């Protein structure tokens, strides 16, 4: 057994476990097993009945408010303490709130504590009153009239969208949608053949996220959409599916943390686009649930509702599924990385199957995530050895699927 973010071992019963009780209560819950050392070796407890009383008394005397937990004595003389995520956050130990950072328990910072306080009151950041109440909404008005044919745009319209309250005024969600604001936006960089060549750099911030969204699409179309002459017609072609890019940008805007002074980063390469959004998964959803679309937890439901009404997104919580569906017939697939503080979506070039073998597809998908790779950086990530990898690379070069650059040890491969 090994410790994880949701599992901690304690050989003895000391007050240090109370920090983890706070952390589990404040976030996604977890288990603490007493009578097991840090290496996962079972040591047992001399008196499990008295130990249960000690654990219970320490929690009841030290954690405020009262957390939701259960104790279970196990056959090997260990005790399993299960702590559930609470609804009355923050849960404090010695007037401090804690969280899990991988297998360690650390105190939360001021910003994280304010989030816990809001969550305990069932209030989201987007619902708070905006500091700036002098707002205009020309972009939002234009989009609403264009997409849902409203005739009059006024405070009643904003009330209907939950952007305005007669007592509190405009909300943070309203400010984020307003023409000029103090919120971060989208930072775009387009690289050339390598990261030393920058073809474009643009930052769209302090403006309506609807404008930032449209400007980002314009940059995308400049580099990844082109026309191909077919007979007497010009047919639009896409190197990367625009529908997938639209979905990824919209998801980044409506699911990000807006109380962080950080831009959504869009890095454009010749063979892929990487979209990095501030803020990991919201509480109550796992990585598997996020990737499969089993559960949808909206971090910013007011913004999501506006995007839905404008037809920018379809059904809530289906963004990842739609991106995957768009790439169903492509040799390269989109990639999703979830960390504690970010979500990264990588969209590769859309390529038909090209009659690649299963082994060739492994190499193709690997190369779709980078610019150039030597064989030494390919072999560890495929299911076969260096000799077969080398042969497959040669065959794929002969097919015109990938290209080889350099000689000898300096040889590197990339998608054509």
């Amino acid at each position: 057994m090994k410790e994880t973010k949701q599992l901690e071992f304690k050989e003895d019963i000391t007050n240090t476990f109370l920090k983890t009780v706070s952390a589990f209560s404040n976030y996604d819950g977890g288990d603490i097993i007493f009578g097991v050392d840090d290496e996962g070796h079972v040591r047992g407890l001399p008196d499990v009945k008295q130990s249960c009383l000690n654990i219970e008394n320490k929690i009841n005397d030290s954690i405020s408010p009262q957390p939701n937990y259960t104790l279970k004595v196990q056959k090997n003389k260990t005790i399993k303490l299960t702590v559930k995520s609470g609804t009355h956050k923050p849960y404090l130990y010695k007037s401090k709130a804690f969280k899990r950072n991988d297998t360690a328990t650390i105190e939360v910072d001021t910003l994280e504590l304010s989030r816990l306080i809001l969550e305990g009151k069932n209030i989201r950041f987007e619902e708070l009153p905006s500091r700036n109440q002098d707002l205009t909404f020309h972009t939002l008005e234009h989009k609403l009239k264009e997409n849902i044919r409203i005739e009059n745009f006024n405070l009643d319209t904003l009330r209907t969208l939950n952007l305005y309250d007669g007592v509190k005024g405009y909300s943070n969600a309203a400010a984020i949608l307003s023409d000029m604001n103090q919120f971060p936006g989208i930072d775009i960089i387009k690289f050339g053949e390598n990261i030393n060549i920058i073809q474009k750099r643009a930052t769209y911030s302090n403006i309506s996220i609807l404008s930032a969204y449209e400007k980002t699409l314009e940059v995308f179309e400049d580099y990844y959409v082109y026309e191909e002459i077919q007979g007497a017609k010009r047919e639009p072609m896409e190197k990367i599916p625009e529908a997938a890019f639209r979905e990824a940008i919209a998801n980044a805007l409506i699911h990000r943390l807006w109380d962080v002074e950080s831009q959504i980063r869009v890095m454009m390469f010749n063979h892929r686009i990487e979209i990095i959004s501030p803020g990991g998964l919201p509480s109550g959803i796992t990585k598997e649930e996020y990737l499969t679309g089993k559960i949808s937890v909206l971090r910013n439901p007011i913004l999501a509702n506006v995007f839905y009404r404008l037809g920018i997104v379809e059904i809530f919580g289906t963004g990842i599924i739609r991106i995957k569906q768009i790439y169903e017939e492509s040799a390269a697939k989109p990639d999703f990385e979830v960390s504690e503080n970010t979500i990264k979506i990588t969209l590769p070039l859309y390529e038909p199957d090209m009659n690649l073998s299963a082994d060739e597809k492994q190499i193709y998908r690997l190369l779709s995530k980078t610019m150039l790779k030597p064989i030494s950086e390919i072999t560890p990530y495929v299911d076969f050895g260096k000799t077969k990898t080398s042969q497959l690379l040669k065959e794929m070069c002969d097919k015109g699927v990938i290209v080889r650059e350099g000689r000898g040890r300096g040889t590197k491969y990339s998608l054509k």
Side-chain angles (χ1 to χ4, degrees):
M1 289 192 300
K2 290 185 178 181
E3 289 186 320
T4 67
K5 193 172 185 178
Q6 270 76 47
L7 177 64
E8 183 169 84
F9 300 139
K10 291 293 181 183
E11 189 170 353
D12 303 307
I13 302 170
T14 62
N15 287 343
T16 57
F17 85 91
L18 294 168
K19 295 180 181 180
T20 305
V21 174
S22 165
F24 286 159
S25 299
N26 284 326
Y27 294 92
D28 298 321
D31 298 316
I32 304 173
I33 301 180
F34 296 90
V36 179
D37 65 21
D38 292 340
E39 304 300 320
H41 301 129
V42 176
R43 304 300 183 189
L45 297 166
D47 187 342
V48 291
K49 187 175 182 179
Q50 183 59 46
S51 295
C52 281
L53 290 173
N54 292 342
I55 294 168
E56 189 173 351
N57 288 334
K58 285 180 180 292
I59 293 175
N60 295 342
D61 293 342
S62 305
I63 305 293
S64 178
Q66 185 73 35
N68 185 355
Y69 68 92
T70 58
L71 286 166
K72 183 178 181 181
V73 176
Q74 305 191 103
K75 293 180 180 180
N76 54 6
K77 290 190 175 182
T78 62
I79 297 173
K80 181 179 181 181
L81 168 64
T82 299
V83 183
K84 295 183 179 180
S85 178
T87 57
H88 303 292
K89 302 168 184 179
Y91 292 84
L92 306 177
Y93 170 59
K94 291 186 176 180
S95 301
K96 297 178 181 178
F98 294 85
K99 69 175 183 178
R100 293 287 279 177
N101 184 14
D102 197 13
T103 60
T105 302
I106 60 174
E107 183 182 352
V108 302
D109 59 23
T110 304
L111 179 58
E112 193 72 19
L113 179 59
S114 67
R115 290 176 185 154
L116 288 172
I117 292 171
L118 289 177
E119 190 175 347
K121 295 179 180 179
N122 198 28
I123 299 173
R124 295 178 173 87
F125 176 78
E126 66 168 359
E127 298 173 314
L128 294 175
S130 169
R131 292 182 180 179
N132 180 14
Q133 290 291 314
D134 185 18
L135 305 175
T136 61
F137 300 92
H138 299 301
T139 300
L140 177 60
E141 179 181 3
H142 172 73
K143 291 294 180 185
L144 288 171
K145 288 182 176 180
E146 180 182 58
N147 289 277
I148 59 177
R149 308 298 181 187
I150 67 166
E151 295 182 0
N152 299 311
F153 180 87
N154 50 38
L155 284 181
D156 287 336
T157 310
L158 297 174
R159 283 191 181 95
T160 301
L161 296 172
N162 293 317
L163 300 174
Y164 181 81
D165 180 275
V167 176
K168 298 177 182 178
Y170 296 118
S171 65
N172 279 331
I176 293 167
L177 289 161
S178 68
D179 299 318
M180 299 295 293
N181 55 58
Q182 298 302 310
F183 288 98
I186 300 175
D187 185 30
I188 302 175
I189 183 167
K190 173 64 175 70
F191 296 101
E193 293 301 319
N194 57 64
I195 58 175
N196 296 318
I197 300 174
I198 298 177
Q199 296 177 334
K200 186 178 182 67
R201 182 70 186 267
T203 300
Y204 306 120
S205 60
N206 308 135
I207 60 175
S208 171
I209 60 170
L210 298 174
S211 296
Y213 174 75
E214 292 296 336
K215 290 179 180 293
T216 303
L217 292 180
E218 290 172 6
V219 176
F220 170 86
E221 290 171 359
D222 285 343
Y223 292 104
Y224 299 97
V225 179
Y226 63 98
E227 289 186 342
E228 188 175 277
I229 299 175
Q230 297 181 0
K233 295 182 179 180
R234 290 179 176 268
E235 295 292 337
M237 307 294 289
E238 299 171 353
K239 296 179 182 179
I240 290 174
E242 184 173 349
F245 183 74
R246 285 176 175 271
E247 198 74 41
I249 295 297
N251 269 269
L253 287 167
I254 64 179
H255 289 297
R256 66 156 290 168
L257 284 173
W258 281 102
D259 57 358
V260 176
E261 279 294 324
S262 180
Q263 312 280 3
I264 294 170
R265 296 179 62 200
V266 179
M267 294 187 289
M268 296 179 166
F269 303 87
N270 288 347
H271 296 105
R272 73 189 187 282
I273 298 177
E274 297 176 2
I275 299 128
I276 304 171
S277 178
L281 296 177
S283 293
I285 185 171
T286 66
K287 180 179 178 180
E288 180 189 1
E289 290 165 341
Y290 165 75
L291 293 177
T292 58
K294 291 179 180 177
I295 298 177
S296 175
V297 178
L298 291 174
R299 179 175 275 132
N300 304 295
I302 297 175
L303 293 176
N305 178 57
V306 172
F307 271 54
Y308 171 72
R309 285 172 178 260
L310 293 175
I312 297 174
V313 297
E314 292 188 1
I315 303 171
F316 297 147
T318 62
I320 301 303
I321 295 175
R322 290 195 69 230
I323 292 172
K324 289 181 176 180
Q325 288 175 342
I326 291 167
Y327 275 89
E328 270 184 346
E329 303 301 323
S330 174
K333 305 295 182 182
D335 187 63
F336 307 90
E337 294 180 28
V338 178
S339 68
E340 184 177 358
N341 298 312
T342 62
I343 292 177
K344 176 181 174 183
I345 298 178
T346 301
L347 302 177
L349 292 183
Y350 186 96
E351 293 284 0
D353 197 286
M354 298 180 293
N355 295 319
L356 297 179
S357 68
D359 292 338
E360 287 174 331
K361 287 179 182 178
Q362 285 192 48
I363 295 175
Y364 190 96
R365 289 168 187 169
L366 185 63
L367 291 177
S368 70
K369 301 175 186 178
T370 186
M371 299 184 81
L372 289 167
K373 268 191 181 295
I375 190 171
S376 60
E377 294 181 17
I378 298 174
T379 306
Y381 299 98
V382 293
D383 298 332
F384 31 84
K386 183 177 180 180
T387 301
K388 184 173 181 178
T389 301
S390 179
Q391 179 62 32
L392 288 171
L393 287 168
K394 182 180 181 304
E395 292 173 359
M396 292 173 74
C397 285
D398 293 340
K399 291 179 180 179
V401 176
I402 62 175
V403 292
R404 177 175 53 236
E405 295 185 19
R407 294 183 177 181
R409 293 185 178 180
T411 302
K412 294 183 179 181
Y413 299 87
S414 67
L415 297 186
K416 186 174 181 181

